[in-house]
Amino acid sequence: GIVTPGGRAKRRAGPAGMRSQYREEITEDGEMEVDERAPLIRSRSPANAPHSSSFSSSGYAPPELDYQLAERLAMESVARQPDGSLYPLNTRISQLGSLGTGVGLYLYFTYYASISLGAMAVLSLPLLLLNLQGTRVFSADEQIGFPGNLIAVTTVGNLEENSPLLVHSLLDFLSVLAFLGFLVYYRRRELLARKEIETKNITAADYTVHVSHLPPDAISEEELTSYFSRFGQVAQVNICYKGYAERARLLDLKETTNEEIQEFERQCQMEKLFPMAKENLAASSLLLQQVQRELEKINRRRVECCGHAFVTFMLESSSRETVAEVKSGAGTLFAHRQSSCPPFRNLYPLRVEKARQPSDMVWENIEMTERGRSWRQLGTWTVSLVLLLIATCLIALVNGKHFFLPQAGLLTGALLNFVCVLIIIISNVAMFILIPLLSRYEGHISTSEFEIHIMLRLWLFQVLNTLIAAAMFWDASQSVTGPDWAHWYADGGVLLINVIIGDAVLMNLIEFFRPFDVFIPRKVEGPKSRSQARLNKVYGAPELSLGMRYQVVLKHFFLALALGAAMPLNYALITFFIIVTFWIDKHNLLRLYKKPAAVNHQVGHVAAVYVGPLALICHLIITPYLYTVVTECPTDVYCPPTSSLWGSYVLAIVGILVVALAWKPLLFDDPEIEYDLVRARALPYTHVQGIDSYTPPRQIPGVSLEGRMSVSPEQQREEGGGG
């Protein structure tokens, strides 16, 4: 798997993404079209950049940039309705099917999660009132200051020793059932939403299967067509060849180099202002020659299949029948279908699964072998865990500074707090930069898989750094008799509340205004652009990362459930946070983000089937511990179970058993819902207007029977000749 020079595997979505040029409409006064890749010599908006007499006297006009054109291009890449207009902000989620199943499921997930946590907040309201009746926090012995006392008074740390907690346990058990009900309902709603979206939007994936484990010499489309025609009429076959990533990288580099050469040629007219122009032109010309020679070598190379192909049938039923009959590795963990179809050429058992959407594919990574991808994933997960431990230990260390500097003065304490904040910020920023890079290095063949790895790693980091940092506040401040849990809730509990409020306010403001990837680049890098094409890239709409958005929501799920029994205020705060997150994400999706890739349901599936139940199990383990230490040994970190809390222990064990027994039939297994008859799928593939195909944007033009690349004379001139 070879990625582009910036390290990022390129992906183009649909016909609009494959468009290499943008041409303006002819204005009413008859002005000619302007190629967006050429630097503008004459501006239609003189106010954008003042003329310089030194430039004009030498016969060179600097490229004056059309900012309105760049903004219009960015807005045109935002998701739109079939008539070309923007979606209204109050559009129902079910009407956003053209954006893909994954996006719709994320909106459903946050929507129903806010309802579920809102129900848990209502159920925990009596717990909040019972905690307020305690007297420990405001007692003279505790000496808890403002504002920590206002947070601690709402927790179980305000209860006196040996306080009864049966009511707490019962209401918490009901909250657990409410959250489990949300997960079960969402799984059913997930399938219904998938069918609601997929049945209203006919896509190429409905007709196509992804075939893997093909031999290297399987380069004949006719041979594959003949093999799969036993399942139905084949509309087209797209074979993936070795060397695609290298060829795509060289073609992209050739386009960029040509743009630079055009600009350096113009700069050569002004040697006094651009003394390095000739050297830059010579270097770019040399690079272009090297790229052309490499393309010539690729064009002369014998073509081999990388093991993958996409077979598109005329009817959707043929695609489903193929997946059911041919041996598939896409089955469940507990079952593996055996093929009733003879192997390819009677030698090669094929793996066939339902194809992902074309826009979900990362074509540059498809030729990587499964073994190579597995080794990369093992290495990147190891590095990720090491980075997680280092960053979390740094955050825990700075939050536990009171252990080794208990008597710091005012100035020293302020300096230490500044260093602590700086280390925390650097650790967080480093993880948010490195983890996507590591996930990209793994060479995932789809955006969905890439987003899952980002979600799981960042979710793990967020949970670890928050909980461990909060735990380090034990003994941060003490009562007259020493450290106790009331003080911890005033210190560590306040940290958790700050995290929740910080994400609800600061992070959502950043997400709404996007200063780092929209506002600042446009204001700082935009005026430095040397051509209209570069300005258009700077102004390009940002892309939605489902993994990034899911991990934020899942982090607060985990925090709400982990400590919600002891801090019921968390449920209400996190409910508010998720509601705000839902509306901001929906606004950005319909007004700011580039139309997302049509990712599948896998990201939401992992969140609901694996992360959600794990959060419930952790809640049911942590809750009895918090109840025990607060009521039996409020000045110790641990004490053995007590018979006075037998009800809490029994309910926790019952809750764990319920989650364990319900997981496979209600969460892991797909619900028994008939949905294949929702839409008549007898419409042939070739009759669907505007449907995509599985042709990569840099696909090899053609292959001869001898396995040689078929390149037309025009393509030879464009790509550097050879053949």
Side-chain angles (χ1 to χ4, degrees):
I2 302 176
V3 297
T4 55
R8 178 173 180 173
K10 292 188 65 177
R11 171 179 46 79
R12 300 187 179 188
M18 297 171 61
R19 185 174 56 188
S20 63
Q21 295 181 355
Y22 175 86
R23 292 187 175 275
E24 293 184 273
E25 299 177 355
I26 298 178
T27 57
E28 295 179 358
D29 59 357
E31 186 174 348
M32 297 296 293
E33 296 178 335
V34 178
D35 188 343
E36 65 117 4
R37 295 192 300 175
L40 298 183
I41 304 304
R42 182 175 56 192
S43 174
R44 298 176 309 282
S45 302
N48 287 340
H51 289 281
S52 171
S53 59
S54 60
F55 279 91
S56 58
S57 62
S58 63
Y60 173 83
E64 297 178 359
L65 307 174
D66 191 338
Y67 291 86
Q68 293 181 353
L69 170 62
E71 291 178 356
R72 188 168 79 246
L73 284 173
M75 282 303 300
E76 286 183 356
S77 65
V78 176
R80 293 178 178 270
Q81 300 185 88
D83 61 0
S85 62
L86 292 172
Y87 283 97
L89 292 178
N90 60 350
T91 303
R92 296 173 59 89
I93 301 176
S94 59
Q95 297 175 350
L96 300 176
S98 62
L99 305 186
T101 307
V103 173
L105 289 179
Y106 169 70
L107 295 176
Y108 276 122
F109 188 85
T110 53
Y111 176 78
Y112 289 116
S114 63
I115 295 177
S116 171
L117 288 174
M120 297 173 73
V122 173
L123 287 173
S124 63
L125 184 60
L127 303 183
L128 191 64
L129 298 177
L130 289 174
N131 293 339
L132 290 173
Q133 294 179 3
T135 59
R136 178 183 293 272
V137 169
F138 288 104
S139 65
D141 293 338
E142 291 296 335
Q143 299 178 354
I144 299 177
F146 177 85
N149 53 8
L150 297 183
I151 301 298
V153 76
T154 64
T155 69
V156 293
N158 191 41
L159 300 178
E160 297 296 332
E161 190 173 353
N162 298 322
S163 297
L165 293 177
L166 184 59
V167 176
H168 286 72
S169 301
L170 287 172
L171 292 176
D172 180 71
F173 182 75
L174 294 178
S175 297
V176 169
L177 295 181
F179 190 80
L180 181 60
F182 151 69
L183 294 177
V184 174
Y185 177 77
Y186 173 77
R187 279 289 286 133
R188 268 109 186 107
R189 195 66 184 88
E190 173 193 334
L191 195 59
L192 291 174
R194 284 167 52 190
K195 296 306 114 185
E196 188 176 16
I197 293 172
E198 294 172 3
T199 54
K200 291 181 180 179
N201 298 272
I202 304 177
T203 64
D206 294 328
Y207 300 88
T208 306
V209 295
H210 178 191
V211 184
S212 57
H213 297 171
L214 286 167
D217 60 345
I219 57 175
S220 172
E221 296 180 2
E222 291 77 12
E223 184 181 17
L224 288 176
T225 300
S226 175
Y227 178 81
F228 285 98
S229 61
R230 71 191 68 197
F231 303 108
Q233 183 180 358
V234 177
Q236 65 180 21
V237 173
N238 296 101
I239 300 175
C240 301
Y241 301 105
K242 293 182 179 179
Y244 172 84
E246 182 182 3
R247 187 171 183 272
R249 178 184 65 83
L250 290 172
L251 289 175
D252 291 336
L253 181 58
K254 184 174 182 292
E255 288 185 359
T256 303
T257 306
N258 276 327
E259 292 177 3
E260 293 179 349
I261 288 176
Q262 292 175 5
E263 177 58 26
F264 292 145
E265 287 176 346
R266 289 167 173 80
Q267 291 180 5
C268 286
Q269 302 175 22
M270 282 292 299
E271 293 187 18
K272 294 182 179 180
L273 293 177
F274 303 101
M276 301 296 294
K278 289 187 177 180
E279 295 182 14
N280 292 335
L281 178 61
S284 296
S285 300
L286 179 60
L287 176 60
L288 181 60
Q289 294 175 7
Q290 294 174 349
V291 171
Q292 290 174 339
R293 286 195 295 268
E294 292 297 324
L295 284 171
E296 291 174 7
K297 293 180 182 179
I298 293 177
N299 291 345
R300 290 193 297 265
R301 188 183 304 168
R302 184 175 181 84
V303 176
E304 291 185 347
C305 175
C306 69
H308 297 266
F310 293 86
V311 179
T312 303
F313 294 91
M314 288 294 292
L315 297 179
E316 184 272 343
S317 57
S318 301
S319 171
R320 284 191 287 113
E321 180 183 353
T322 305
V323 174
E325 292 296 330
V326 182
K327 183 178 180 180
S328 173
T332 66
L333 295 176
F334 304 100
H336 195 72
R337 290 191 293 268
Q338 295 297 321
S339 174
S340 60
C341 180
F344 182 68
R345 298 177 181 173
N346 293 323
L347 294 173
Y348 303 100
L350 299 181
R351 174 178 176 179
V352 177
E353 59 187 342
K354 179 179 171 63
R356 301 169 178 85
Q357 296 292 346
S359 60
D360 192 22
M361 298 298 301
V362 184
W363 298 104
E364 286 80 0
N365 295 334
I366 198 168
E367 62 186 279
M368 185 183 298
T369 63
E370 293 184 2
R371 177 176 296 180
R373 189 175 292 112
S374 299
W375 278 110
R376 285 196 179 195
Q377 291 179 3
L378 178 62
T380 54
W381 269 102
T382 302
V383 174
S384 297
L385 290 175
V386 172
L387 292 175
L388 288 175
L389 291 175
I390 292 174
T392 302
C393 288
L394 284 175
I395 294 173
L397 182 65
V398 297
N399 279 321
K401 60 185 181 297
H402 51 273
F403 285 134
F404 48 87
L405 288 173
Q407 303 296 329
L410 181 62
L411 182 60
T412 304
L415 181 61
L416 284 174
N417 286 330
F418 173 77
V419 173
C420 292
V421 172
L422 186 62
I423 293 178
I424 291 174
I425 292 175
I426 293 175
S427 300
N428 283 318
V429 171
M431 294 306 302
F432 275 85
I433 293 175
L434 290 175
I435 285 182
L437 292 177
L438 290 172
S439 299
R440 189 171 293 113
Y441 171 76
E442 293 173 347
H444 300 289
I445 65 173
S446 71
T447 306
S448 301
E449 295 177 0
F450 171 70
E451 298 290 356
I452 289 174
H453 283 252
I454 288 181
M455 175 188 72
L456 292 177
R457 289 169 177 168
L458 287 179
W459 163 74
L460 181 62
F461 169 71
Q462 294 267 50
V463 170
L464 281 177
N465 78 30
T466 303
L467 292 182
I468 295 179
M472 294 297 293
F473 275 91
W474 177 261
D475 199 29
S477 58
Q478 303 180 7
S479 64
V480 174
T481 58
D484 61 14
W485 280 96
H487 271 271
W488 181 86
Y489 285 109
D491 297 320
V494 168
L495 173 67
L496 294 175
I497 298 297
N498 287 338
V499 169
I500 296 172
I501 296 177
D503 279 340
V505 179
L506 179 61
M507 298 304 294
N508 274 317
L509 286 176
I510 292 175
E511 182 65 25
F512 184 76
F513 292 104
R514 309 288 297 197
F516 303 112
D517 59 352
V518 175
F519 181 78
I520 294 178
R522 290 182 179 182
K523 296 300 181 182
V524 176
E525 298 180 15
K528 299 179 182 178
S529 301
R530 295 184 300 184
S531 68
Q532 186 66 37
R534 295 188 182 183
L535 180 68
N536 295 341
K537 292 179 182 179
V538 172
Y539 271 70
E543 295 185 3
L544 170 67
S545 173
L546 286 179
M548 286 286 191
R549 303 312 300 155
Y550 264 112
Q551 64 88 17
V552 175
V553 176
L554 292 177
K555 164 194 172 181
H556 287 85
F557 265 7
F558 204 95
L559 293 180
L561 290 171
L563 300 174
M567 302 179 64
L569 186 62
N570 286 359
Y571 291 134
L573 292 175
I574 293 176
T575 300
F576 169 76
F577 164 76
I578 294 181
I579 292 174
V580 173
T581 299
F582 170 81
W583 285 108
I584 288 180
D585 285 339
K586 188 177 181 182
H587 172 274
N588 287 350
L589 181 67
L590 303 181
R591 291 295 183 270
L592 179 64
Y593 289 132
K594 182 186 299 182
K595 183 179 179 180
V599 299
N600 58 28
H601 67 285
Q602 288 180 334
V603 187
H605 181 82
V606 171
V609 176
Y610 299 102
V611 180
L614 179 61
L616 270 182
I617 295 295
C618 291
H619 168 85
L620 291 168
I621 293 174
I622 293 175
T623 297
Y625 164 76
L626 293 176
Y627 285 171
T628 301
V629 294
V630 166
T631 60
E632 296 298 321
C633 51
T635 59
D636 296 322
V637 177
Y638 171 78
C639 59
T642 175
S643 59
S644 61
L645 294 176
W646 66 268
S648 301
Y649 302 148
V650 170
L651 290 174
I653 294 173
V654 171
I656 293 175
L657 292 176
V658 169
V659 174
L661 294 175
W663 181 74
K664 187 178 185 302
L666 298 181
L667 294 176
F668 182 83
D669 295 338
D670 283 336
E672 297 292 336
I673 299 177
E674 292 293 336
Y675 55 82
D676 287 331
L677 301 179
V678 174
R679 180 184 73 191
R681 302 187 180 214
L683 186 66
Y685 169 80
T686 54
H687 291 192
V688 182
Q689 185 177 5
I691 195 168
D692 292 336
S693 68
Y694 285 84
T695 303
R698 298 294 193 183
Q699 179 65 301
I700 294 175
V703 179
S704 65
L705 295 177
E706 295 79 17
R708 299 295 180 182
M709 191 182 304
S710 301
V711 184
S712 65
E714 293 79 7
Q715 290 167 334
Q716 289 182 12
R717 288 192 294 270
E718 291 178 1
E719 300 180 9

